[in-house]
Amino acid sequence: MDPECSQLLPALCAALADPRRPVVDDTCLEKLLDWFKTVTEAGSSLLLLQDSPCLVELLFQVLKPQDLSPGVLSFSLRLAGTLAAQEDCFQYLQQGELLPGLFGEAGPLGGAAWTAPTVRSGWIRGLRSLAQHPSALHFLADCGALDTVFSLQGDPSLFVASAAGQLLGHVLGLSMRDQAEGHRSPQACDWPACAQRIVSHIEESLRSSATPQVTQALNVLTTTFGYCHSPRTHVLWAQLSPHVACLLEKDPVPAAHSLVDLLLSVARSPALSSDCDLWEMLAQTLGRLSPAQAGPLALGVLKLQDCPQTLRGQAFDVLLQPLACVWKAAAQDPGSPAAGLLAGPEGDAAVVDALLSSRAACVGLLCQTLAHLELLQPLPQRPSPWPQAPLLGAAVTVLRFCNGSAIPASDVGGRLCAILAGCVRVQRAALDFLGTLSAGTGPPELVPQVFAVLLDHLESPDSSPTVLKKAFQATLRWLLSSPKPPGGCDLDPHTQLFLRELLPVLQKRLCSPCWEVRDSGLEFLAQVARRWAGQAGFRRALLASEVPELTEQLLRDPESYVRASAVTAVGQLSSWGLHATPAGPGLPEGPQKSLLLDLLHVLSTDSEGFPRRAVMQVFTEWLRDGHAEVAEDTERFVARVLQVASRDLDWEVRAQGLELALVFLAQTLGQPGSHCPYAVAPAEEIPPGRLAQALRAFCRVQLFEFAFRALFDCDRPVAQKSCDLLLFLRDKAAPYDSSQEAGGSPDVASVEAALQRWRAGEQGQPLGPLEPEAAVAVLRSLDLEGLRGTLAESSDHMEKSPRSLLQDVLATVSVLGDNEADCY
């Protein structure tokens, strides 16, 4: 601890112990605890107490009958636990009977402050910090704290109840770990007294008929097996597993969710992964739980690395049952590839009952099933072979039930039609899952069915904006995964046909009165154009539609998100020459209007930041890719863009301007592959003639002025990006000899004066004409490395210092004068 903090600590402790000066801001106390934890982790807690006896005095003050605030009392309990986490400091505090007074029956337990949840939470968390060594385990058994912890498991405050369970699980795990390190005999009777009491309490709770008590016991065990992987956990599980197994004999199974968490935690434990009885219990549990409860357990089993194949098969069947029931409820074509889904379960009656019991139950079960299968699909542990075709057929069937196009094959199907009609939650889950299935390889005959159901949802007037967005996303994934025809010169026939049918639908959606729909359509168009704008079939279909013209019209949309998406889509189409044709049908084409001017107008006049950021990103891509309008006069383009971007109030626009400047810099230097200042590559020396020409070009487009001004930007990311750019440029300009170019020393006084004004915040002053010699001289004179180091520091690194923190706490209790507080 530094001397300044040591000097402030006595006043701080005295202020905290004075009930007449309450702490107004409890967040300062939280920060103070974090600081004490950092100090004790870096050194000895005992030395800290010996050097700062005021801390012990503060803890003794807590024992006196006075009206300390709950926040200060909680802070003191947690501080005591933090200090006593080191065993020598624990023994030091024990000598004065301080710890029993704080955490025993004589402490806050019997006082009026105990009614405050903050105090109960501080007591629990203090014990949690303290319980790090064998002496603490004996203390817990002797001071009578365990009975209080047991009762706090049912505390009305969920935070307190959860902390109590976490403490018991931690203590039990610590007991087994320490015993395993000191003894070879795996006998339960060797456990510390506190561990034996906790185990007895868990056994009693598991035998209870009250579900809350069962839940508490299961949660404690889940914490223990997740925290401790000692071989002794095998002994603990052997003792408690019969009680857990008895829960499966009850109907319904109590605390099913907590039971699933426990069994998966045990199954992931290395000490128990070879326990055959455990696998049998998991199999039995899968059969006893309801379909909604068994789903998470089945997914967890399938994620396990070491699991018997029979159990994996049973778990996968559990996941598939809801989809199999839905598939069977709809009329299917004979010989459909999806019939393989029925090779597993034959439509379990319990699943049918769960699906038909209520709309909420049906929707919840299907959404859960689809989400679990979506999570499982990309995992290496997924079942093999993966039933791609049956799952595709089932997902399509679910979506048909939702949009009303499914034909019921039974009474179950009729009821599902009524339940699922227009259900947005199920549509979203099914579309997400259908999109995930695009990564697999399925039978080609099912692909038209997938495209058909996607097109139905995109066309339907009943589809909500969220469903349309999901449908566009799934459609894009299936289009991106479509196979390339032999030769790879164009789209395959299925994709071409689908795109021709899709473009009129997209055209309609771009005219939607709902801005979210217009935005989703534009995002989809930009992604599709990025992939297929060079394919002749796509180009013909797109140019034959009104989509390009509508897209340009949406640059003037009243919603800023839509304007931003329109900018991105128009930029992508323009990169491939897919402009809207101004001429009418049967008329000769008129002169092509300049999209560059339209986007410059957006950059200059749009009141929202999103469209302007999108314009800067499009311009950067155009410059990088050599867009036709940019290539006509690159310097003029860059100069105009940087001039507008330098005046923008949005820091992201200015930062993107620096990205564009970096691309122009690299291209002009003839090193387009070196535009990243972080690239690790050997420096290539640039010929002197090319370097001189490049520097003159940078001056003409005012790149130096833009970068120097950004160096002192009030937004740190802009200044950092400018610093990186100038460091890169200084490295490339190292061989430049300004004396040979100018015939003498350049006059940099005016430039440095302008930089001083900018540093002082006078950003309105222009730099004026700049010669390469002066620019390079100023560039070399700047301490860019030092500036980069300063910018890398947190903006509040001074205010977050320990001294500042102590002053803040003192300020909240009115110890310092009004002007002395270092608040932040």
Side-chain angles (χ1 to χ4, degrees):
M1 186 185 301
D2 61 73
E4 289 183 341
C5 293
S6 299
Q7 293 173 4
L8 291 170
L9 208 52
L12 172 71
C13 292
L16 293 176
D18 189 346
R20 296 170 300 174
R21 294 186 283 187
V23 178
V24 179
D25 185 7
D26 285 349
T27 59
C28 288
L29 297 180
E30 288 290 337
K31 294 174 184 176
L32 198 57
L33 280 169
D34 291 339
W35 175 62
F36 275 118
K37 184 177 180 181
T38 302
V39 171
T40 56
E41 287 176 348
S44 168
S45 299
L46 180 58
L47 289 178
L48 174 63
L49 288 184
Q50 291 172 344
D51 293 339
S52 306
C54 58
L55 291 173
V56 179
E57 293 173 10
L58 169 64
L59 298 179
F60 272 113
Q61 287 293 326
V62 174
L63 301 179
K64 296 180 179 180
Q66 52 184 337
D67 295 328
L68 285 178
S69 69
V72 172
L73 188 52
S74 175
F75 165 81
S76 303
L77 292 167
R78 293 171 62 187
L79 175 62
T82 300
L83 295 170
Q86 296 182 13
E87 196 159 10
D88 56 350
C89 188
F90 174 89
Q91 302 293 350
Y92 177 79
L93 294 174
Q94 275 284 74
Q95 293 173 7
E97 293 296 314
L98 180 59
L99 293 179
L102 289 172
F103 296 104
E105 295 179 357
L109 295 177
W114 190 250
T115 59
T118 304
V119 175
R120 300 197 299 275
S121 175
W123 186 84
I124 286 282
R125 296 171 73 177
L127 284 176
R128 173 67 174 79
S129 300
L130 176 149
Q132 304 294 334
H133 43 76
S135 297
L137 298 181
H138 295 303
F139 170 75
L140 285 173
D142 298 338
C143 75
L146 280 180
D147 289 330
T148 305
V149 178
F150 293 154
S151 66
L152 288 178
Q153 284 185 282
D155 195 271
S157 168
L158 294 179
F159 295 103
V160 175
S162 174
Q166 294 286 328
L167 172 61
L168 292 175
H170 169 77
V171 170
L172 190 54
L174 180 66
S175 301
M176 290 188 293
R177 188 185 66 190
D178 288 345
Q179 288 296 307
E181 292 173 357
H183 300 276
R184 291 186 180 182
S185 173
Q187 299 296 321
C189 59
D190 295 334
W191 294 348
C194 63
Q196 295 185 35
R197 286 201 58 196
I198 293 173
V199 172
S200 298
H201 174 74
I202 291 174
E203 289 178 321
E204 181 181 345
S205 298
L206 290 175
R207 289 193 295 264
S208 172
S209 59
T211 299
Q213 292 189 18
V214 176
T215 302
Q216 294 164 12
L218 294 174
N219 290 343
V220 170
L221 290 177
T222 300
T223 300
T224 302
F225 285 104
Y227 163 72
C228 179
H229 296 153
S230 160
R232 279 186 170 260
T233 55
H234 187 85
V235 179
L236 178 66
W237 179 245
Q239 181 173 341
L240 295 176
S241 59
H243 300 287
V244 176
C246 287
L247 298 177
L248 299 176
E249 300 173 1
K250 300 180 180 180
D251 190 19
V253 177
H257 178 78
S258 297
L259 177 61
V260 168
D261 289 342
L262 170 62
L263 292 177
L264 291 177
S265 181
V266 174
R268 286 189 286 264
S269 175
L272 294 160
S273 59
S274 59
D275 190 335
C276 296
D277 293 337
L278 172 63
W279 303 126
E280 292 179 7
M281 184 181 294
L282 282 167
Q284 183 184 1
T285 307
L286 283 171
R288 288 285 296 117
L289 297 180
S290 71
Q293 295 167 343
L297 179 60
L299 178 65
V301 166
L302 291 168
K303 286 182 176 181
L304 295 174
Q305 297 290 344
D306 303 313
C307 179
Q309 194 61 36
T310 53
L311 180 59
R312 290 176 60 82
Q314 181 186 357
F316 197 41
D317 285 348
V318 167
L319 280 187
L320 294 178
Q321 281 177 355
L323 289 185
C325 291
V326 172
W327 190 88
K328 283 182 64 178
Q332 305 291 345
D333 296 331
S336 169
L341 190 66
L342 302 179
E346 285 295 330
D348 189 350
V351 179
V352 174
D353 291 341
L355 287 171
L356 301 182
S357 60
S358 68
R359 179 181 173 88
C362 179
V363 169
L365 180 57
L366 282 179
C367 288
Q368 174 182 277
T369 299
L370 292 165
H372 286 166
L373 289 168
E374 183 184 357
L375 289 172
L376 189 61
Q377 196 272 342
L379 297 180
Q381 306 100 295
R382 74 178 191 182
S384 181
W386 178 253
Q388 176 77 0
L391 289 174
L392 270 178
V396 168
T397 301
V398 170
L399 288 170
R400 285 177 174 164
F401 271 113
C402 291
N403 71 1
S405 63
I407 301 175
S410 62
D411 291 341
V412 173
R415 295 183 64 182
L416 285 177
C417 281
I419 291 174
L420 297 178
C423 181
V424 174
R425 280 187 60 198
V426 175
Q427 284 175 307
R428 288 191 325 224
L431 287 167
D432 280 339
F433 180 50
L434 189 61
T436 302
L437 289 174
S438 65
T441 55
E445 58 267 27
L446 280 181
V447 175
Q449 294 184 33
V450 171
F451 282 147
V453 78
L454 289 172
L455 195 62
D456 286 345
H457 278 74
L458 292 171
E459 284 181 320
S460 173
D462 298 326
S463 294
S464 69
T466 308
V467 168
L468 285 171
K469 185 178 183 68
K470 295 289 187 183
F472 273 126
Q473 291 172 343
T475 300
L476 179 64
R477 296 180 72 171
W478 274 94
L479 286 172
L480 293 176
S481 66
S482 59
K484 292 184 178 180
C489 58
D490 208 343
L491 304 172
D492 71 281
H494 282 309
T495 306
Q496 285 198 48
L497 177 62
F498 177 66
L499 284 174
R500 282 199 297 270
E501 296 174 340
L502 178 63
L503 285 172
V505 178
L506 176 61
Q507 184 174 306
K508 173 187 172 184
R509 292 304 182 186
L510 293 181
C511 300
S512 171
C514 179
W515 74 263
E516 292 96 339
V517 175
R518 300 195 300 275
D519 189 57
S520 298
L522 288 168
E523 290 178 349
F524 173 77
L525 174 62
Q527 294 292 333
V528 171
R530 192 183 302 275
R531 172 68 182 268
W532 284 295
Q535 301 290 343
F538 175 76
R539 294 175 65 87
R540 286 193 299 270
L542 184 68
L543 292 174
S545 71
E546 297 179 19
V547 168
E549 182 179 354
L550 289 171
T551 305
E552 291 189 19
Q553 291 176 8
L554 290 174
L555 291 174
R556 298 177 291 279
D557 194 274
E559 175 55 52
S560 64
Y561 291 109
V562 178
R563 296 197 300 275
S565 297
V567 166
T568 303
V570 163
Q572 195 61 235
L573 293 176
S574 180
S575 295
W576 292 93
L578 296 172
H579 303 282
T581 305
L587 297 176
E589 289 192 8
Q592 197 68 257
K593 65 177 181 179
S594 173
L595 186 59
L596 174 58
L597 295 179
D598 289 344
L599 295 186
L600 274 173
H601 179 74
V602 173
L603 182 61
S604 304
T605 63
D606 201 297
S607 60
E608 298 290 336
F610 296 109
R612 303 199 306 275
R613 295 174 197 169
V615 170
M616 289 302 301
Q617 291 169 354
V618 166
F619 280 166
T620 304
E621 289 182 13
W622 280 8
L623 178 62
R624 186 180 288 120
D625 300 337
H627 187 277
E629 285 197 74
V630 173
E632 288 179 5
D633 192 342
T634 303
E635 287 189 18
R636 185 166 180 265
F637 164 77
V638 172
R640 294 170 73 181
V641 174
L642 294 184
Q643 182 183 14
V644 178
S646 66
R647 300 193 300 264
D648 202 291
L649 298 179
D650 190 324
W651 71 265
E652 292 193 44
V653 173
R654 301 194 299 276
Q656 189 63 41
L658 289 164
E659 182 66 28
L660 181 141
L662 190 59
V663 173
F664 176 70
L665 187 154
Q667 289 180 347
T668 308
L669 292 173
Q671 297 180 318
S674 304
H675 62 270
C676 177
Y678 305 106
V680 180
E684 298 180 16
E685 188 169 331
I686 304 169
R690 176 184 292 174
L691 180 58
Q693 291 176 3
L695 292 173
R696 285 193 289 272
F698 301 154
C699 290
R700 287 194 296 271
V701 302
Q702 297 185 326
L703 185 148
F704 280 109
E705 178 171 349
F706 182 74
F708 285 149
R709 189 186 296 273
L711 197 61
F712 307 110
D713 197 287
C714 58
D715 288 290
R716 187 169 48 159
V718 179
Q720 287 176 312
K721 203 172 189 69
S722 175
C723 192
D724 292 335
L725 182 146
L726 290 173
L727 281 166
F728 175 68
L729 179 54
R730 190 185 69 181
D731 178 62
K732 297 300 178 184
Y736 182 72
D737 189 347
S738 59
S739 61
Q740 292 182 2
E741 293 289 332
S745 299
D747 181 14
V748 299
S750 61
V751 180
E752 291 179 339
L755 296 186
Q756 289 297 330
R757 292 195 298 272
W758 293 347
R759 188 192 297 269
E762 301 176 20
Q763 292 283 335
Q765 296 291 330
L767 191 60
L770 187 62
E771 295 298 324
E773 298 75 22
V776 172
V778 171
L779 186 60
R780 290 170 177 169
S781 68
L782 291 171
D783 181 16
L784 295 173
E785 288 84 0
L787 182 58
R788 182 164 64 177
T790 302
L791 291 169
E793 290 182 336
S794 171
S795 59
D796 55 359
H797 67 280
M798 288 299 295
E799 288 77 7
K800 281 190 173 179
S801 66
R803 176 187 61 81
S804 171
L805 176 60
L806 295 177
Q807 288 177 336
D808 282 348
V809 180
L810 287 170
T812 63
V813 291
S814 306
V815 173
L816 292 176
D818 291 342
N819 297 323
E820 296 180 56
D822 186 16
C823 296
Y824 49 94

